[in-house]
Amino acid sequence: MGNINNWKKVKLGDVCIVKRGSSPRPIEKFITKDKNGINWIKIGDTSLNSKYIIHTAQKIIPEGMNKSCFVQAGDFLLSNSMSFGRPYILKIDGCIHDGWLVLKDNKNLFNKIFLYYYLSSPSVYNRFKHMAVGGVVNNLNSEMVKKLDLPLASPDEQKRIADILDKATELIALRKQQIKKLDL
């Protein structure tokens, strides 16, 4: 088992592409019901209990892709306003609006599940909270997120940690279901 103090520390922006989404405007002119349209990924397409985005409620026409930010399955999305700092792993391709940041691990340095749990941790959320700016609504921007320090463990260590955290998450969900049944 590796010691976290021996792991290399890296800045997110040095190992991942971090980019803000953008919207074709006016968006109503780009929305389509065509099944061949491009997935239009919105915050409403997420679930608090899931680490993945697997579908979208809306699609946009191909011309909208030129005015938006195209993302691919395997990329991370990070909400950057309102409920900022919430990571998701994409299982689909699509386009994102400016309420999202995309994190592209093009060097494949991270186990996706390990990175998900790291970005979901309370300590990272608190760092995001201190970075966020705004009046009524706090926002993260790509420059802030690029400065986030990450521990870079070996691929085997990342997988081991991700597996443990997945098992713990499953046990917690099971326990919550049991408690809910007992309360009925």
Side-chain angles (χ1 to χ4, degrees):
M1 178 152 102
N3 180 341
I4 192 167
N5 295 323
N6 295 332
W7 295 353
K8 182 178 177 184
K9 304 263 189 304
V10 295
K11 298 264 185 229
L12 185 61
D14 291 341
V15 294
C16 292
I17 295 169
V18 180
K19 184 177 173 186
R20 186 175 181 184
S22 59
S23 299
R25 301 209 193 280
I27 188 61
E28 303 80 38
K29 291 188 177 189
F30 292 90
I31 298 294
T32 183
K33 295 203 184 281
D34 186 336
K35 65 178 176 146
N36 295 319
I38 296 153
N39 289 318
W40 181 237
I41 303 167
K42 299 188 303 185
I43 303 289
D45 297 319
T46 66
S47 167
L48 279 178
N49 299 324
S50 177
K51 59 177 87 89
Y52 301 105
I53 297 175
I54 58 173
H55 64 31
T56 62
Q58 293 183 314
K59 295 185 182 291
I60 59 172
I61 59 175
E63 293 79 12
M65 203 167 121
N66 299 330
K67 298 175 187 239
S68 187
C69 179
F70 185 71
V71 293
Q72 297 171 294
D75 287 344
F76 274 82
L77 291 188
L78 190 65
S79 56
N80 69 17
S81 63
M82 299 299 275
S83 60
F84 64 86
R86 176 82 172 96
Y88 294 93
I89 303 168
L90 285 171
K91 292 273 189 171
I92 57 173
D93 295 346
C95 288
I96 57 170
H97 58 76
D98 52 7
W100 291 112
L101 294 174
V102 60
L103 312 177
K104 292 182 174 275
D105 178 21
N106 290 341
K107 298 175 184 175
N108 292 317
L109 295 175
F110 293 99
N111 172 291
K112 302 266 186 243
I113 306 304
F114 171 84
L115 187 56
Y116 167 82
Y117 283 118
Y118 185 78
L119 293 173
S120 299
S121 70
S123 67
V124 170
Y125 176 77
N126 286 330
R127 284 190 266 166
F128 284 153
K129 193 173 174 180
H130 284 59
M131 289 179 191
V133 295
V136 175
V137 177
N138 286 337
N139 292 292
L140 289 174
N141 68 43
S142 59
E143 292 308 311
M144 293 173 189
V145 172
K146 286 177 184 178
K147 294 176 184 173
L148 178 69
D149 287 321
L150 295 170
L152 184 57
S154 72
D156 289 342
E157 185 73 1
Q158 289 183 48
K159 171 130 180 49
R160 188 186 71 74
I161 291 168
D163 290 346
I164 290 169
L165 292 172
D166 266 348
K167 286 177 187 160
T169 301
E170 288 173 28
L171 289 172
I172 290 167
L174 180 60
R175 183 65 66 205
K176 284 181 179 179
Q177 286 176 352
Q178 292 170 337
I179 290 170
K180 190 175 181 179
K181 284 181 184 176
L182 290 172
D183 285 345
L184 296 177

